[in-house]
Amino acid sequence: MVTRFAPSPTGYLHLGHIRSALEGWRAARDSGGRFLLRLEDIDQTRCRDEYATAILEDLLWLGLSWDGAVRKQSEHFDDYRRALDRLEAMAVLYPCFCTRREIRDEIAQAGGAPHGPSGPTYPGTCRGLDTRQRTEKQRSGIDYALRLDLSRALALTGPLDWVEEGEEGPRRKPVDPEPLGDVVLARKDVSASYHLAVTVDDAIQEVTLVTRGEDLAAATHVHRVLQALLDLPTPSYCHHKLLTDPSGRRLSKRNRGLTIRSMREGGLSAAEIISRAATY
Ligand SMILES: [Zn+2]
């Protein structure tokens, strides 16, 4: 059993993070496996060293020790580049030159678009550009993103599923990545998106069980497609319920009072915080 906790150093850890960390930590410790720590710091404009240091400190103070070295995504751009090159060679990527505004306008003109978990699905504007049009636009120097051509990808992979570890035991979950559409896998200036980096990292770190919040369940459909395209092993998944505040709203970075730092300063012990994270 190899599990991982993979926060982004864009703020202090809060109770919701600890819930995720606990799921992975317990699964590893209960089975004599390994619990890994990864810092998802690809977006260097939002990540700060100060937060990275604080994450490590908070976890150790809580007693959630990890095994082996911490993997920092920003030190592994070559791994993501290789995966991207491979996908490019399979002709399942295309450059998208749309700005956010253009995507919004296109959707409005078409009378709306199916709504995925992270907003309206990309309408596929740039999917149909021919080679000449693409080269011309790329030459002109405008920014672009590389998107996954989902229908081409699915034609290559065929039907897929993964094993979801739920409270009633494991069950197979069929893959349906349509709601997310043609996701962005890289940008001109950022060499890997969350989807690409996570998929590659879980394989390189030989993670066998991915525990994360149910808000990321939609992404798993896309990750499973990437695993199939890149010939990577498929871990099992456990998407756990998200912690909410007393009014039922999801805990987030806005809930400053619920950072581990502030609870610790408020006099809570590590055991009390762990128990809150498990039961809140
Ligand atoms: Zn586009």
Side-chain angles (χ1 to χ4, degrees), residues 12-13 37 50-64 66 260-261 264:
Y12 293 119
L13 291 182
L37 178 60
E50 160 200 355
Y51 292 134
T53 309
I55 287 172
L56 271 55
E57 277 174 15
D58 286 351
L59 288 174
L60 289 176
W61 181 76
L62 287 167
L64 301 176
W66 58 91
I260 306 313
R261 308 237 129 181
R264 182 180 173 180

Side-chain angles (χ1 to χ4, degrees), residues 94-98 103 122 124-127 147:
Y94 64 88
C96 166
F97 304 92
C98 303
I103 294 175
Y122 175 66
T125 323
C126 298
R127 198 191 301 127
R147 287 186 183 273

